Amino acid sequence: MKILAIESSCDDLSFCIYEDKKVLSLVSASQTEVHSPFGGVVPELASREHLNSIVPTLKNALEQAKIKLSDLDAIAATYAPGLIGSILVGLSFAKALSYALKKPFIGIHHIEAHLLSPLLEGEMDFPCLGLVLSGGHTHLYKISSIGNYELLGKTVDDAIGEAFDKVGKILGLPYPGGPEIDRLSTQGNPKRFQFTFPIVKSNPLYVSYSGLKTAAASLWESLQKTDVERADLAASFQEMAIRIIERMIERAQHKTGLSRLLVSGGVACNNRLRQGLKRQSDAQGFQILLPSPRYCTDNAAMIALVADFYLRKGIVSPLDLDAYDSQPLGVFPSNRISPTS
Ligand code: KG4
Ligand code: ZN
């Protein structure tokens, strides 16, 4: 079954052609240069850019996979959560293609796709833990099986990626700040500045990033703002941001007894996180699966992976499926119609 998957929930437009657990092509149109002068994603510009690049990106993906539109067996697209205008561009395009080609359509939840994205390159037994670390999410789930998720923990304020991006902006780094802080931290001393460990009393698996972000901002104001200070602050902030995640994982293991973990989302590219997880897995016998960086950030291959799973079971979505800017990841998404219903 050849699936065309579209991911357009934020500022990246990505097309993937996927067959039998293989990525035949993955083509993304990045908008970093468009949003960079504004220090963050401008929603109106993001959806307009998607409109401009959607047809050329599709052509590119078909060419690289060496197939024609008529060879496709199904069309998938992100339907939630994200920037509503951006989602609508990809979702409407996918539904129109499905209607014109008379091929099934399925809408995929962006967070479900991140959560399962490590399975693009490896295998994991269920139940396991799943951690999504992105610009909008810092969410920890228990995954009992594909489609069956229980939210165990999350941030009570900023997402980890959002905190990286905001601190990057404060330090005068280009957007997005996450990869810049990662790079700059290699030149800095992570022990130079000490931050207080944030405690969320209501739930030991809940975390908080807004206090750390504010503390980093006020510290920066009090400094001379030299290059050495910038690198030391980046490294110290990153150290605490990742230690918060490491502690969340330890506590989740303790609570659930599960030592298998999938980690995904843009922040899963972070080198300090990847090294720390390796240490944690070696020392505590954790089985941890992370995608390669190209599958950590937003991409259509993860949409195709989840679509493939549901389509094989004969599950599709109706063509009147709406786009949602926010929608919690459910136990079984109501947007899908199984063959028996
Ligand atoms: O998953 P993603 O591509 O988009 C969302 O769904 O949000 O994640 C984007 C986030 C941004 O906040 C970006 O700064 C962060 O991932 N990010 C990183 C790194 N690479 C991307 N954060 C820390 N270190 C990195 N190497
Ligand atoms: Zn994402």
Side-chain angles (χ1 to χ4, degrees):
M1 185 175 23
K2 286 189 180 64
I3 301 171
L4 169 70
I6 306 174
E7 155 57 38
S8 69
S9 65
C10 192
D11 58 335
D12 288 315
L13 175 70
S14 175
F15 276 71
C16 174
I17 295 171
Y18 187 89
E19 184 179 31
D20 288 336
K21 303 198 182 304
K22 274 201 216 78
V23 173
L24 302 186
S25 67
L26 178 60
V27 179
S28 295
S30 170
Q31 300 180 3
T32 309
E33 281 174 19
V34 175
H35 302 286
S36 204
F38 302 97
V41 177
V42 182
E44 179 65 23
L45 292 181
S47 45
R48 279 167 195 244
E49 280 298 310
H50 284 346
L51 275 175
N52 289 338
S53 47
I54 200 154
V55 174
T57 313
L58 167 66
K59 283 190 179 153
N60 231 330
L62 290 169
E63 258 169 46
Q64 289 192 19
K66 298 188 178 58
I67 63 159
K68 301 187 294 296
L69 259 188
S70 54
D71 295 327
L72 294 171
D73 297 301
I75 319 288
T78 303
Y79 77 94
L83 302 175
I84 197 78
S86 290
I87 298 176
L88 268 172
V89 175
L91 182 67
S92 311
F93 194 76
K95 292 196 287 190
L97 273 179
S98 151
Y99 184 73
L101 297 171
K102 299 189 176 53
K103 295 292 157 82
F105 159 75
I106 183 159
I108 301 296
H109 194 288
H110 182 81
I111 298 309
E112 182 173 22
H114 270 307
L115 196 58
L116 301 177
S117 61
L119 304 179
L120 281 164
E121 298 164 296
E123 291 188 3
M124 179 64 78
D125 288 334
F126 298 123
C128 70
L129 297 167
L131 190 52
V132 180
L133 305 174
S134 71
H137 286 74
T138 309
H139 281 44
L140 176 75
Y141 295 91
K142 177 181 173 186
I143 309 175
S144 299
S145 60
I146 295 183
N148 198 341
Y149 314 110
E150 181 193 349
L151 182 66
L152 297 179
K154 63 182 175 95
T155 176
V156 293
D157 39 56
D158 291 357
I160 181 169
E162 193 183 347
F164 265 96
D165 293 342
K166 285 180 179 164
V167 171
K169 196 170 178 179
I170 289 159
L171 296 181
L173 301 173
Y175 176 84
E180 298 293 330
I181 290 182
D182 190 356
R183 227 181 335 267
L184 190 59
S185 294
T186 57
Q187 300 155 30
N189 174 5
K191 296 199 175 126
R192 164 122 181 236
F193 304 111
Q194 305 292 321
F195 294 104
T196 317
F197 214 110
I199 310 274
V200 182
K201 291 204 177 112
S202 57
N203 184 324
L205 293 181
Y206 281 15
V207 295
S208 161
Y209 279 97
S210 80
L212 174 60
K213 175 196 67 190
T214 310
S218 12
L219 188 57
W220 182 240
E221 278 311 306
S222 69
L223 298 175
Q224 303 295 312
K225 303 186 174 57
T226 64
D227 287 348
V228 173
E229 283 171 341
R230 182 179 284 107
D232 288 348
L233 183 51
S236 305
F237 160 79
Q238 174 178 274
E239 183 62 25
M240 179 52 90
I242 303 302
R243 276 182 51 211
I244 292 171
I245 296 301
E246 289 173 344
R247 191 184 59 173
M248 191 187 200
I249 295 171
E250 273 166 27
R251 290 183 162 184
Q253 181 191 28
H254 187 72
K255 180 175 172 177
T256 62
L258 292 171
S259 298
R260 291 184 291 273
L261 174 68
L262 302 177
V263 186
S264 56
V267 183
C269 292
N270 184 270
N271 286 295
R272 164 66 183 82
L273 175 77
R274 293 176 91 94
Q275 287 152 12
L277 289 176
K278 169 120 191 27
R279 271 199 304 275
Q280 231 170 345
S281 97
D282 293 345
Q284 296 166 23
F286 245 115
Q287 190 191 341
I288 300 181
L289 195 58
L290 287 139
S292 12
R294 69 194 292 239
Y295 296 135
C296 287
T297 46
D298 288 349
N299 68 87
M302 64 186 193
I303 305 298
L305 169 92
V306 182
D308 186 54
F309 172 81
Y310 287 115
L311 289 165
R312 276 171 197 275
K313 292 186 151 191
I315 295 171
V316 297
S317 302
L319 281 182
D320 63 358
L321 173 67
D322 275 336
Y324 298 89
D325 57 356
S326 75
Q327 193 190 67
L329 187 52
V331 171
F332 190 77
S334 57
N335 66 300
R336 293 182 188 138
I337 303 175
S338 74
T340 50
S341 65

